Amino acid sequence: MGLLDGKTILVTGVLKDSSIAFHVARLAQEQGATVVLTSFGRQFRLTEVTARRLPAPAPVVQLDVTDEDDLAALADRVREHTDHLDAVVHSIGFAPQSVMGGSFLDGRWEDVATAVHVSAYSLKALAVAAKPLMGRGSAVVGLTFDASFAWPVYDWMGVAKAAFEATSRYLARDLGKDGIRCNLVAAGPVKTTAATSIPGFEQVEGGWDERAPLGWDVADADPTARTVLALCSDWLPATTGEIVHADGGVHAMGV
């Protein structure tokens, strides 16, 4: 019997098989869930190709989280494949390179606004768009990179993640009356396409394994994916507004 038998999960952010979202989708299927993916634009075809590497077929529906028409159409598009969602996984983030890599003081509002829109506001937008398909016991789970600290080179993406974490708490407040949980997983660094696009990201990941009491493998997305799916399951029914760390324990260590 799988942890997610009978569940249907919407997973965003699958691009390549190195994506954390890919491993979330793969493990979800292995644990008995039906998975629906989202993608958009030029990435859509890439997501379809990557989806073929999953253990079971997974449909891909159009969703640009910054497009109001796509958001309004999401529930109907998902209904073509299922009549409900037990969990929604937010694995979306983007900031122009001009506001990362050590150029914090030079950040222009137009670029910062893009980072906040895609990487923070989209959590609320996605939750509201998927809400018609969700009921009591459903879960929204997002991926963050601990915004308690000012990380090297992360710059305005770090600010966007701080907004993302605050957004999750407010969603937990406002969705709670409908029995919907909202939690985040603060992952350690994983070598994904998104991570490697951050100029100087090796400054963040360097030495993480040595600082982690449990150790840390930047090439292994499974620990993070497993934590996401635990929050999607029925095993944390009274947990909401929480940030669960899957980082080998680095967050709890002093310098």
Side-chain angles (χ1 to χ4, degrees), residues 6-243:
K7 301 289 188 186
T8 302
I9 300 178
L10 183 73
V11 181
T12 66
V14 172
L15 290 178
K16 299 181 179 180
D17 56 11
S18 62
S19 305
I20 294 174
F22 174 83
H23 292 280
V24 169
R26 174 181 59 80
L27 286 168
Q29 289 183 340
E30 291 175 359
Q31 290 298 315
T34 297
V35 170
V36 179
L37 307 177
T38 74
S39 193
F40 73 101
R42 289 181 296 177
Q43 300 173 356
F44 196 95
R45 177 60 178 159
L46 178 58
T47 300
E48 288 184 318
V49 170
T50 302
R52 295 174 190 160
R53 303 187 183 120
L54 291 170
V60 185
V61 300
Q62 166 73 24
L63 176 64
D64 176 348
V65 289
T66 66
D67 186 306
E68 292 299 325
D69 291 337
D70 271 5
L71 290 163
L74 178 64
D76 286 338
R77 289 170 178 168
V78 173
R79 282 191 186 100
E80 294 177 10
H81 308 283
T82 181
D83 61 358
H84 75 285
L85 290 172
D86 298 290
V88 173
V89 177
H90 182 289
S91 184
I92 299 167
F94 173 77
Q97 290 199 352
S98 61
V99 295
M100 296 185 292
S103 56
F104 182 82
L105 296 178
D106 297 324
R108 297 171 59 253
W109 168 242
E110 292 81 1
D111 294 336
V112 171
T114 296
V116 173
H117 191 179
V118 178
S119 307
Y121 180 82
S122 64
L123 180 64
K124 189 282 295 188
L126 176 62
V128 170
K131 188 172 178 289
L133 297 170
M134 304 175 78
R136 301 197 71 83
S138 296
V140 177
V141 183
L143 285 158
T144 189
F145 190 68
D146 196 338
S148 303
F149 305 97
W151 297 101
V153 308
Y154 212 43
D155 296 342
W156 284 101
M157 179 60 98
V159 176
K161 286 297 187 183
F164 181 72
E165 293 176 8
T167 300
S168 177
R169 289 188 286 271
Y170 280 95
L171 281 172
R173 183 195 68 182
D174 289 359
L175 296 176
K177 63 180 179 296
D178 297 309
I180 301 172
R181 295 167 286 133
C182 187
N183 295 289
L184 303 181
V185 174
V190 178
K191 279 191 179 298
T192 63
T193 301
T196 55
S197 71
I198 300 172
F201 187 72
E202 64 276 2
Q203 296 179 48
V204 176
E205 68 180 15
W208 200 282
D209 182 47
E210 289 77 15
R211 299 198 306 275
L214 294 175
W216 187 257
D217 183 355
V218 297
D220 185 6
D222 267 29
T224 301
R226 288 174 182 271
T227 308
V228 169
L229 294 178
L231 289 166
C232 290
S233 77
D234 293 332
W235 281 94
L236 293 118
T239 300
T240 196
E242 187 61 87
I243 300 175

